[in-house]
Amino acid sequence: MASALVSRAIAGGLRSIRPSIRPSREATRFCGHFAKNKAPYVRAHGLSFVPPSFGFARCNVTASSSMRLSTLAIHSVPHNEPVVSAEWLHANLKEPDVKVLDASWYMPDEQRNPLQEYQVAHIPGALFFDVDGISDRTTNLPHMLPSEEAFAAAVSALGIYNKDGVIVYDGKGIFSAARVWWMFRVFGHDKVWVLDGGLPQWRASGYDVESSASGDAILKASAASEAIEKVYQGQPVGPSTFEAKLQPHLLWTLEQVKQNIDLQTHQHIDARSKARFDGVAPEPRKGIRGGHVPGSKCIPFAQMLDSSQMLLPPSELRKRFEQEGISLDSPVVTSCGTGVTACILALGLHRLGKTDVAVYDGSWTEWGSHSDTPVAATQVASA
């Protein structure tokens, strides 16, 4: 089940952690308000530093201005810049309005447990966002977007507010973090960025990681999963600190993709490998046909990244899209296998100023499992 990842890890972890947790913390875990270091981020000599690449200035800081500085730091990131550097996050890590999420997720055949890896090493203060768990419980398709109410309940349980700037990272560099970036945006929260290069870049920069999760962090991961379950079971959840407002233009359904084959209102880009797109490589999930949506074009998500798994500069990104005949002046919808790496294409297009890219949530796992959806292929994969 989707929430089993959190449940299994927490069952073992709480045996050693739970005795140190005060009951009041458990009682209020859905309220999304927990003890944090509220001290302003003040460097030596009264200066707060933000990397010059973001065009920020050094300034004198007093306790009374710390909250204003935090808000300034969040809102001063360029609107079309979807990533922040490890240096920026390190400089702003303790700002009260900056929340960090470990959104690591891996393909089933990789046999990696993201929650266990989070417990072993994560950015200080980061909370775990369960990509499979914070999802629609009414479908068998993997990690589909949850409802507004369910997402708001889960994010509130993690202690996130609409005023917060959210920084998302993963254990690969840029992979599943892009999916969670898109999830926040599709629910109307634009103050969200991906950590460029993810945890590998953070560690390569020489910054510390925490080697064990606090009891509070474990309980919040559990609370988010429980909140999702309660919403879909029609049960009441705790007070909400986050309001979600669906942005329908960023989310496409199977029916919209069908219509687009004929209408061609949007350029459809598939982020899967060329071999899967052409139907010459088998799909990783059983029962899924090979091939692609007629009229779609293939730009594998890896073409958005450099060798360090960081987002390419605008000039290089533009070349990738132009080489495949994609016009940046026309609407775009992206897809992939299950709606994860399609968001990396959206991330790259966002850096180029296209902030309205839609993602086909069900992607090829939904399309390829239907017997009545048209499929194009260079060659049909052998059975």
Side-chain angles (χ1 to χ4, degrees), residues 15 32 76 235 341:
R15 278 195 286 271
S76 295
Q235 300 176 11
T341 58

Side-chain angles (χ1 to χ4, degrees), residues 278-283 288-290 377 379-383:
D278 289 340
V280 298
E283 287 296 307
I288 308 298
R289 294 176 293 165
Q379 173 184 336
V380 179
S382 58

Side-chain angles (χ1 to χ4, degrees), residues 256-275:
Q256 287 173 292
V257 176
K258 274 186 178 180
Q259 294 172 9
N260 192 60
I261 294 176
D262 295 323
L263 299 178
Q264 290 291 300
T265 60
H266 286 60
Q267 303 165 100
H268 185 163
I269 313 176
D270 192 323
R272 293 176 300 153
S273 69
K274 191 65 164 60

Side-chain angles (χ1 to χ4, degrees), residues 211-230:
S211 59
S212 63
S214 70
D216 210 35
I218 294 295
L219 289 176
K220 282 182 177 295
S222 176
S225 184
E226 290 172 7
I228 289 280
E229 292 281 0
K230 287 183 176 181

Side-chain angles (χ1 to χ4, degrees), residues 48-57 84-92 207:
S48 178
F49 173 75
V50 184
S53 60
F54 285 87
F56 296 176
V84 296
S85 67
E87 292 77 15
W88 185 94
L89 180 57
H90 183 259
N92 291 276
Y207 300 133

Side-chain angles (χ1 to χ4, degrees), residues 136-144 365:
D136 184 358
R137 301 300 173 86
T138 66
T139 177
N140 291 326
L141 293 170
H143 43 251
M144 290 286 281
T365 298

